[in-house]
DNA sequence: TTGAAAGCGCTAACAG
DNA sequence: CTGTTAGCGCTTTCAA
């Protein structure tokens, strides 16, 4: 900025005013400065700017890692943000979901004082809201949260999945549940149990194991389930990654999906269509969730009064990983 | 930080030393300060820290928008970065590819002085390297570039695609080319022409139109091609999004893919398997490209001597959007 | 209409 | 071993 100031023969204060479109600068000066800015290709440093002004027009999306779930949200958010005047900054603590818990708190602390005007946090565990800084959670932690939230109807989706398996004649149905700290995972398991009870089919507790929502963490539980002498004939996986992991484990054990084992997932990330056979799953409108989260955040910042809890519907997507029992 | 200092009864300078693990602080003091930091949940502000120290351990990935191509790169980069001690920050100028050109220069200027230690830029047009700041380009602008680069063998991939169509008996083959400023788009068109020439099949210039690599920008050209009285029997789209767009246009015009029209794409983004019929395409190892780009960047920063141009192979992925002619 | 000066949260010399 | 001080690039009074 001092380069610009020197070249244009003004002070940095004046350049700042021009950059920010403040009143009280002569027309001619504005033009001259803008000219120089253009020539030099000057762009204000985000770091310095935010440090001083606490307003950056940048919105943050905080996530543990870039995996299919969060990148779908990102796509939706990205479309929504276009033309809003905001820029998007996706930040990953980088250690992956497995390592350091509390990444959401740390990332938020690191960015919120400065740099971003608000944040959407993906699958956060604990977040204490700071005053005057807006946060919206996507698929948050279990328990009552005061946070503005976007999620989908996980319970209904799980019922959908379980009923589909039931309708195919399966009764020995296993469930690989998700991150036990997440509301969504609990609701999916609850939906599973509810549908089973409704159908009068008892749940064998040995067939229900936590899989952590990730490929690596789901492989173990999947192997245990499939290694049982009386193994399940169908598995409802807590999300698509767990389902994909389960299918890989099944293949390694010489089982054929769907002939020997039906598998249904949850999420409908694009990857679910890439596996062989293509995965039957429950769709959450992920891109729309990302878009809604972003819109909600923008509204919150703008002070718009509105509903701060958005729940979107889920839907059964039938592909080829399930087949009738027997 | 001053809160921490006050609570611990030391100066901010001392806190800073503790935070950064500098020598010259008494054991007892270190422990006390760390205790307070933990209690207060203090985390250094990225903005302030970077402004002063010019070292943040954050690597940037700059992109025009979060679409399937760049999010695949992100997934690969995210896996590669785990355990490297770096964090990842993906930044989107937000106006979408359509709007403001020069986003890469602006984003870079905004973040590079501070905030990030290096950047990978996705499909950049023009980037002047600043000294002492490391940048690697993925799928860069046409023309000789001094930038460290990661890309795939676009020419060979295009030949693969064209030969496949040719082998199916097609001769009226259209090509929806990509962003004309990108090396990759030019090479794909060149590969197409080369394969056609090799086969002795003339290229009808009316069947070659630029599609800009995006759903919205490809729809027009696709409609023009398919509206021709002697429309092509097969189309090689410059990337998967163009192919998906072409399929949608074809459907709207009452054409059936692949019966009335064969379509082949390029990229193999996960979305290509989601459309109906699933898209036959040329695979670029996108996640690996993201991982390689990140590793290259880390090496550059570390001062490792190594090859700074990485080209990965492409591959034909046959699904259901192409069929023999007649 | 302009610029001098203070300060955002932090780090690095340097002095004590 | 610890604190004082200057300053990173910017914005914002406030006085000229």
């Amino acid at each position: 900025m001092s380069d610009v100031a020197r070249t244009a023969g003004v002070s940095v204060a004046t350049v700042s005013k021009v950059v920010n479109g403040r009143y009280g600068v002569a027309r001619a000066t504005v033009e001259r400065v803008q000219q120089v800015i253009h020539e030099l290709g000057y762009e204000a440093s985000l770091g310095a700017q935010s440090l001083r002004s606490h307003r950056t027009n940048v919105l943050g999306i905080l996530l543990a890692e870039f995996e299919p779930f969060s990148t779908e949200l990102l796509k939706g958010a990205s479309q929504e943000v276009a033309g809003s005047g905001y820029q998007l900054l996706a930040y990953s603590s980088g250690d992956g979901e497995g390592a350091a818990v509390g990444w959401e708190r740390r990332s938020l602390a690191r960015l919120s004082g400065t740099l971003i005007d608000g944040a959407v946090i993906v699958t956060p565990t604990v977040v204490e809201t700071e005053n005057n800084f807006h946060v919206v959670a996507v698929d948050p932690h279990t328990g009552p949260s005061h946070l503005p939230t976007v999620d989908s109807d996980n319970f209904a989706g799980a019922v959908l999945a379980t009923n589909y398996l039931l309708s195919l004649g399966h009764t020995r149905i296993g469930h690989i549940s998700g991150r036990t700290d997440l509301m969504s995972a609990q609701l999916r398991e609850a939906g599973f149990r509810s549908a089973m009870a409704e159908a009068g089919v008892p749940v064998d507790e040995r067939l229900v194991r936590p899989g952590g929502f990730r490929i690596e963490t789901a492989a173990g539980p999947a192997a245990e389930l499939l290694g049982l002498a009386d193994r399940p004939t169908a598995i409802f996986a807590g999300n698509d990654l767990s389902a994909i992991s389960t299918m890989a484990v099944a293949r390694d054990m010489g089982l054929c999906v769907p002939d020997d084992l039906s598998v249904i997932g949850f999420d409908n990330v694009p990857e679910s269509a890439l596996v062989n056979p293509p995965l039957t799953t429950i769709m959450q409108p992920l891109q729309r969730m990302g878009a809604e989260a972003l819109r909600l955040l923008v509204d919150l910042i703008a002070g718009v009064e509105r509903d701060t809890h958005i729940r979107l519907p889920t839907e059964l997507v039938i592909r080829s990983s399930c087949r009738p029992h027997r």
Side-chain angles (χ1 to χ4, degrees), chain A:
Chain A
M1 183 176 262
S2 62
D3 279 0
V4 174
R6 195 172 335 106
T7 311
V10 296
S11 71
V12 293
T14 302
V15 176
S16 173
K17 283 170 194 156
V18 171
V19 167
N20 296 287
R22 298 276 175 276
Y23 291 113
V25 184
R27 187 84 114 117
T29 311
V30 171
E31 276 166 16
R32 182 156 35 95
V33 171
Q34 275 171 341
Q35 171 68 17
V36 174
I37 285 176
H38 186 77
E39 277 168 12
L40 267 47
Y42 167 81
E43 205 72 25
S45 152
L46 217 208
Q49 198 168 44
S50 68
L51 187 56
R52 187 60 233 245
S53 71
H54 289 197
R55 219 321 164 136
T56 58
N57 283 318
V58 176
L59 265 20
I61 302 194
L62 275 37
L63 33 90
E65 62 182 325
F66 292 90
E67 30 67 41
F69 180 85
S70 46
T71 52
E72 286 309 297
L73 297 174
L74 238 25
K75 289 174 194 168
S78 185
Q79 278 180 254
E80 181 70 26
V81 85
S84 74
Y86 282 104
Q87 277 125 285
L88 229 47
L89 151 15
Y91 184 81
S92 159
S93 56
D95 341 85
E97 192 111 28
V101 289
W103 60 268
E104 51 280 270
R105 210 194 43 67
R106 287 203 312 284
S107 295
L108 195 57
R110 199 117 203 268
L111 303 183
S112 72
T114 49
L115 283 182
I116 55 178
D117 295 346
V120 359
I121 313 191
V122 181
T123 60
T125 300
V126 267
V127 177
E128 61 271 30
T129 334
E130 323 197 0
N131 45 351
N132 202 26
F133 183 81
H134 294 286
V135 168
V136 358
V138 173
D139 197 358
H141 184 251
T142 179
S145 173
H146 43 293
L147 282 183
T149 294
V150 175
D151 62 12
S152 74
D153 196 339
N154 290 290
F155 186 89
V159 169
L160 234 41
T162 311
N163 281 344
Y164 178 64
L165 258 18
L166 254 9
S167 77
L168 256 25
H170 294 280
T171 51
R172 274 198 75 65
I173 303 179
H175 177 50
I176 298 188
S177 62
R179 268 177 54 192
T180 48
D181 62 301
L182 292 185
M183 203 65 210
S184 57
Q186 293 194 189
L187 285 170
R188 288 174 204 174
E189 181 172 338
F192 164 70
R193 290 180 184 280
S194 163
M196 292 287 272
E198 189 83 14
V201 179
V203 172
D204 182 343
E205 291 304 329
R206 292 173 312 145
L207 300 190
V208 180
R209 320 214 169 190
F213 275 164
R214 309 178 78 224
I215 300 253
E216 306 85 53
T217 50
E224 290 167 17
L225 243 47
L226 297 180
L228 257 26
D230 49 349
R231 60 175 162 76
T233 64
I235 291 185
F236 166 35
N239 70 348
D240 286 349
L241 290 185
S242 314
I244 290 170
S245 186
T246 301
M247 284 172 58
V249 168
R251 163 163 321 188
D252 287 349
M253 295 176 77
L255 298 175
C256 174
V257 174
D259 292 336
D260 304 320
L261 178 74
S262 288
V263 177
I264 188 169
F266 203 112
D267 278 353
N268 195 32
V269 294
E271 279 75 357
S272 63
L274 274 177
V275 286
N276 188 3
L279 184 69
T280 291
T281 190
I282 301 297
M283 178 210 73
Q284 306 189 66
L286 295 176
Q287 295 198 19
R288 214 178 123 212
M289 287 167 70
E292 293 286 355
L294 199 96
R295 193 208 312 272
L296 176 49
L297 181 58
V298 169
D299 284 349
L300 252 24
I301 293 173
V304 175
E305 284 283 334
R306 52 108 96 208
D307 196 8
T308 58
H309 195 323
I310 298 169
R311 171 155 296 163
L312 297 174
T314 48
E315 224 169 80
L316 175 64
V317 176
I318 297 177
R319 288 200 275 255
S320 316
S321 63
C322 298
R323 103 162 14 170
H325 180 46
R326 200 116 303 171

